[in-house]
Amino acid sequence: MNTFVMAFDSSQQALRAEMLLEQKAIVFEMIPTPSEITAGCALSLSFSAQEVDRIIEIVKAEHIEIRGVFRSNPSSASGDSSFEQWV
Amino acid sequence: MNDTIHQPVIYLDHAATSFPKPESVLQAMQHSMREEAANPGRGGHKMAIAAGRVLMRTRLELSSLFGVSNPSDIAFMPNTTAALNQGIQGCLQPGDHVVTTMMEHNSVRRPLEYMRKKYQVDVDYVTVDEAGQIDLSELRKLCSRKTRLIVCNHSSNLLGSILPIQEIAEIAQSVGAWLLVDAAQSAGSIPVDVKALGIDMLAFPGHKGLLGPQGTGGLYISPSLDLEPLIYGGTGSQSEEVDQPSVRPDRYEAGTPNTVGIAGLGAGVRYIKDIGVSVIGHHEWLLTQYAIEQLSAVRGLRLLGPQLGEPRTGIVSFILESIDPSALAFRLDREYGIAVRAGYHCTPLAHQSANTTLSGAVRSSFGYDTTKKDVEALVDAVRHIASSV
């Protein structure tokens, strides 16, 4: 289950990350950034907990700027998933 | 009126824009226009993301071409002029000092003179000799602690001469100034590695040596340089913020980009990388050498720029003492179907250096598609016209 979201301020940087992760055969999904993180029109990558460290490492090594990494919490009171900042 | 050109044209105006473009450029543009020309960076739907990927792929091609490690340090611009304006206006503060040369294009001179009038920026021009070279010690002497920027072309658009960028970069570094290089005539013809050469900003066209369409170009901005944006507006990012985003490349790319053109530019860059920039540059140089050898035998003809055997880009400018350059260019076009450019070539100071201020000159310029036969046709036509006046 994809419980982590990496949000970008620049869609170009998100697409750069996408290419690098694809090259390394990492499983992820590109999604519009949940409005709870930012209401802008940026893109995010969602992925499972086991990929978090590897993805952060790749993004740092390539100087890709991120808004942050967020963990979804499906058991919030409202019933919708909410996000807490992870990085 | 039917504007279609039926007569075959010998196109020798590559310094203005390259023609024809590779078939792959046309195909990439058509594919983009037909299949995926949504607005990149605006919206998360599949076609918008596909359009965004087109931009990123071209950025990556350009990064590897220019030795740029982070593709986000390249911002797309509509042309070299816009890139130069962004570089010049974005880094100068009132009271700063700039050193440039006497053979810059108006796209450098005019923004500098605007900054002089509007913001009291001090501008000095290094003199240029007839071969299109500068004296590095003069450049060094003009620099001071107030010098914020050195801006110069890599290759003159009138003379074809090539400046020693690495040495100029060393001078810039020694005085703590940024170096902005106008690569309008060199990108795609001379290998350019921003890191190896010490370039802080590189302004380049997409539609000349990189073989992309008009309306494309870009600016490399060193990560250590925080330029003030020239254009403010929507970027599709940090939309809730009042201020322009700080994140690159968005900071310098407000407004809908030329997605279709950038798709073509990417194909153009791939095309020249497959051939090799040095191979293209050598082909163009051989053509200039042949043109110089042949044209120098024409009575009353004066060649501008570097001597035979010296390095230069694919530009050969000349004047015939017996005929006005604009009349010569007109006759070459109408009677011989040869497209060249006459006049000042937007570089009046370079004409001052070449002693052609009163007349301007005729500029022939070659590309990878230009053949020796094309140059022969030019030489024959010039010889014929020279003997007839």
Side-chain angles (χ1 to χ4, degrees), chain B residues 86-152:
Chain B
Q86 168 64 76
I88 289 168
Q89 298 191 48
C91 83
L92 294 176
Q93 303 282 333
D96 280 346
H97 175 236
V98 182
V99 184
T100 186
T101 83
M102 286 282 280
M103 61 174 166
E104 298 310 315
H105 194 273
N106 275 340
S107 53
V108 167
R109 188 192 187 195
R110 284 179 174 163
L112 285 177
E113 289 299 326
Y114 165 77
M115 295 302 281
R116 187 208 293 273
K117 284 195 192 94
K118 181 98 177 174
Y119 297 106
Q120 294 77 50
V121 165
D122 199 11
V123 185
D124 274 312
Y125 292 86
V126 180
T127 54
V128 174
D129 65 23
E130 285 204 359
Q133 282 304 325
I134 62 168
D135 180 353
L136 289 173
S137 62
E138 186 192 347
L139 170 65
R140 203 173 288 112
K141 269 185 215 148
L142 286 171
C143 291
S144 71
R145 274 186 312 160
K146 278 189 154 183
T147 309
R148 170 90 58 171
L149 177 70
I150 294 177
V151 49
C152 65

Side-chain angles (χ1 to χ4, degrees), chain A residues 9-13 18 67, chain B residues 53 56 237-238 248 250:
Chain A
D9 281 327
S10 163
S11 68
Q12 283 293 288
Q13 302 232 14
E18 176 196 54
R67 170 163 283 220
Chain B
R53 287 191 190 108
M56 180 42 75
S237 52
Q238 297 181 338
R248 294 183 180 196
D250 304 36

Side-chain angles (χ1 to χ4, degrees), chain A residues 8-13 15-16 18-19 22-23 30-32 37-43 62-65 67, chain B residues 41-44 49 52-53 55-57 59-60 69-72 236-241 247-250:
Chain A
F8 299 82
D9 281 327
S10 163
S11 68
Q12 283 293 288
Q13 302 232 14
L15 292 167
R16 171 87 180 115
E18 176 196 54
M19 284 179 197
E22 275 175 358
Q23 280 165 16
M30 180 159 276
I31 58 165
I37 296 173
T38 166
C41 24
L43 297 171
E62 294 292 334
H63 303 287
I64 294 172
E65 288 179 59
R67 170 163 283 220
Chain B
R42 277 75 169 167
I49 292 174
R53 287 191 190 108
L55 267 57
M56 180 42 75
R57 277 199 293 269
R59 232 185 277 281
L60 284 166
S69 54
N70 188 345
S72 298
S237 52
Q238 297 181 338
S239 300
E240 67 281 17
E241 304 285 339
V247 66
R248 294 183 180 196
D250 304 36

